[in-house]
């Protein structure tokens, strides 16, 4: 599916635009958040790319431009608002892969080359602008999985290997090994989103056998357990979820990032994607209260399969 890059949520992009988001209030709307256009992405427009952040630097790579799969890599300088191409990933060009990072390196694994689902893993070192081939992903070859990094280890779960999955794997760069961990609770899924807060990983949205899922899970590596959060549809008899509806938050092929709000409290944002139609809506998740609130919609065109990241208290969305 085509995705494009650059808006910042000053609460971040568009068809190789970038938008960033800050937390300003628009007086013409009851929704809060301000999308500001940033420098257009310098690479070709694409969908199903990956992104990772090392320090205060974001990277975007791989994807599908509508004709061919890609294996290029681009670095974004947030302070100076420009893009620079970095070393091309030596592995098979792909889309629908996943990426995660440690404090010093980025990793790309799984994906689709147009014929085959993949499971090879590649490590990028910014200090030397170089790639190294690492051990294959421990699970089955798959597409549309999710990944996140915590405490210099990587985690990969869900996706489709011919069937939707929810097995969960940890990658240890120190030993270059994959270890299977306790599986994600709830529904199998593909096309979900993942994000990290206080060294815990969160997985939400996606589809299972073509139907959107409404369960929401948090993984704590300190105890190797998943905990279920509140559903993201209006299924309770309480009032907190009355604004969720049955279709407003659920979606697939969305994107997510974490940033601080105006008060300095970290929140997560789930943006764009699809659910019967292509979406541009944005929902904010409050970690402290396990609640969702709708925010100002993405200001570019509706899209699916975009990428996003949070850097220096701004969220960026594009492609």
């Amino acid at each position: 599916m085509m995705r494009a890059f650059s808006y910042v949520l000053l609460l971040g992009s568009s068809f190789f635009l970038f938008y960033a988001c800050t937390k300003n209030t628009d007086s013409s709307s009851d929704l809060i958040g301000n999308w500001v256009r940033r420098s257009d992405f310098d690479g070709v427009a694409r969908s199903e790319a990956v992104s990772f952040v090392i320090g205060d630097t974001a990277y975007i790579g791989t994807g599908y431009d509508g004709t061919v799969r890609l294996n290029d890599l681009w670095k974004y300088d947030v302070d100076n608002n420009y893009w620079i191409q970095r070393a091309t990933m030596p592995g098979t060009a792909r889309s629908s892969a996943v990426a995660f990072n440690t404090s010093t390196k980025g990793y790309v694994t799984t994906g689709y080359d147009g014929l085959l689902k993949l499971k090879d893993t590649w490590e990028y070192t910014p200090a030397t602008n170089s790639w190294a081939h690492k051990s294959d992903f421990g699970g089955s070859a798959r597409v549309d999985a999710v990944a996140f990094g915590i405490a210099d280890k990587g985690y990969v779960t869900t996706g489709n290997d011919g069937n939707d999955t929810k097995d969960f794997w940890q990658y240890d760069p120190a030993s270059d090994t994959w270890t299977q961990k306790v599986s994600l609770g709830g529904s199998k899924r593909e096309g979900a989103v993942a994000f990290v807060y206080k060294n815990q990983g969160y997985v939400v949205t996606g589809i299972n056998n073509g139907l959107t899922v409404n369960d929401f899970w948090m993984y704590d590596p300190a105890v190797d357990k998943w905990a279920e959060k509140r559903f993201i549809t209006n299924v309770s008899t309480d009032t907190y979820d009355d604004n969720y509806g049955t279709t407003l938050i659920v979606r697939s092929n969305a994107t997510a990032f974490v940033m601080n709000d105006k008060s300095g409290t970290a929140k997560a944002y789930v943006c764009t994607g699809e659910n019967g139609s292509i979406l541009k809506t944005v929902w904010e998740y409050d970690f402290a209260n396990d609640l969702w609130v709708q925010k100002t919609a993405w200001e570019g065109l509706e899209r699916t399969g975009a990428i996003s990241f949070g850097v220096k208290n701004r969220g960026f969305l594009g492609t």
Side-chain angles (χ1 to χ4, degrees):
M1 298 179 183
M2 282 303 296
R3 310 175 177 183
F5 213 106
S6 183
Y7 280 85
V8 179
L9 180 65
L10 297 174
L11 160 325
S13 161
S14 88
F15 205 43
F16 280 46
L17 316 173
F18 247 99
Y19 280 86
C21 187
T22 61
K23 292 294 292 184
N24 297 334
T25 301
D26 182 348
S27 61
S28 66
S29 172
D30 290 331
L31 302 180
I32 296 174
N34 181 36
W35 290 95
V36 178
R37 184 169 174 175
R38 303 292 287 167
S39 175
D40 289 6
F41 176 64
D42 278 11
V44 299
R46 67 193 66 194
S47 67
E48 305 290 342
V50 299
S51 67
F52 55 88
V53 175
I54 300 173
D56 289 328
T57 302
Y59 296 85
I60 296 173
T62 70
Y64 179 57
D65 72 359
T67 302
V68 298
R69 267 77 189 176
L70 304 164
N71 59 353
D72 55 345
L73 180 71
W74 294 81
K75 180 178 81 171
Y76 179 59
D77 185 311
V78 175
D79 291 331
N80 297 300
N81 191 27
Y82 71 87
W83 296 88
I84 184 170
Q85 189 167 11
R86 308 308 289 158
T88 297
M89 187 180 78
T92 304
R94 69 196 64 202
S95 60
S96 304
V98 297
F100 57 87
N101 62 273
T102 65
S103 57
T104 59
K105 298 183 180 183
Y107 297 83
V108 176
T109 190
T110 69
Y112 181 62
D113 69 1
L115 293 173
L116 301 172
K117 298 177 177 67
L118 306 171
K119 60 184 296 184
D120 53 329
T121 301
W122 293 85
E123 175 190 79
Y124 176 70
T125 303
T128 57
N129 187 30
S130 62
W131 291 89
H133 190 195
K134 311 304 286 187
S135 294
D136 285 357
F137 169 60
S140 54
R142 65 190 64 191
V143 300
D144 289 333
V146 296
F148 52 86
I150 297 175
D152 280 346
K153 291 184 172 59
Y155 297 88
V156 177
T157 186
T158 71
N160 185 287
D161 65 0
N163 295 290
D164 291 333
T165 66
K166 63 170 190 169
D167 53 329
F168 184 47
W169 294 82
Q170 178 196 77
Y171 177 69
D172 185 348
S175 59
D176 188 25
T177 56
W178 292 90
T179 303
Q180 188 166 12
K181 311 295 284 186
V182 60
S183 292
L184 171 78
S187 300
K188 298 177 180 180
R189 69 194 70 200
E190 60 182 294
V193 299
F195 47 88
V196 173
Y197 174 65
K198 289 188 173 180
N199 287 325
Q200 295 172 325
Y202 293 76
V203 176
V204 69
T205 69
I207 55 174
N208 182 12
N209 292 318
L211 299 176
T212 55
V213 296
N214 68 349
D215 53 336
F216 179 21
W217 294 86
M218 179 197 76
Y219 176 71
D220 187 345
V223 294
D224 191 23
K225 288 184 179 179
W226 290 91
E228 188 168 15
K229 312 303 287 184
R230 288 169 169 166
F231 288 104
I232 61 172
T233 55
N234 182 10
V235 295
S236 81
T237 58
D238 296 325
T239 60
Y240 74 86
D241 58 358
D242 287 354
N243 292 328
Y244 296 1
T246 58
T247 61
L248 296 179
I249 307 176
V250 293
R251 62 193 66 195
S252 63
N253 293 316
T255 188
F257 56 86
V258 174
M259 60 177 276
N260 291 340
D261 67 10
K262 191 174 182 179
S263 70
T265 302
K267 305 286 178 62
Y269 298 85
V270 172
C271 317
T272 66
E274 59 189 279
N275 183 10
S277 62
I278 308 302
L279 304 172
K280 60 191 298 183
T281 52
V282 175
W283 285 81
E284 176 191 81
Y285 177 66
D286 183 333
F287 294 98
N289 298 303
D290 194 15
L291 294 174
W292 294 86
V293 177
Q294 191 170 6
K295 295 297 178 179
T296 300
W298 156 251
E299 293 179 8
L301 296 174
E302 294 85 349
R303 67 198 54 215
T304 183
I307 65 94
S308 64
F309 52 83
V311 177
K312 291 193 171 181
N313 198 33
R314 284 176 285 175
F316 296 77
L317 190 159
T319 67

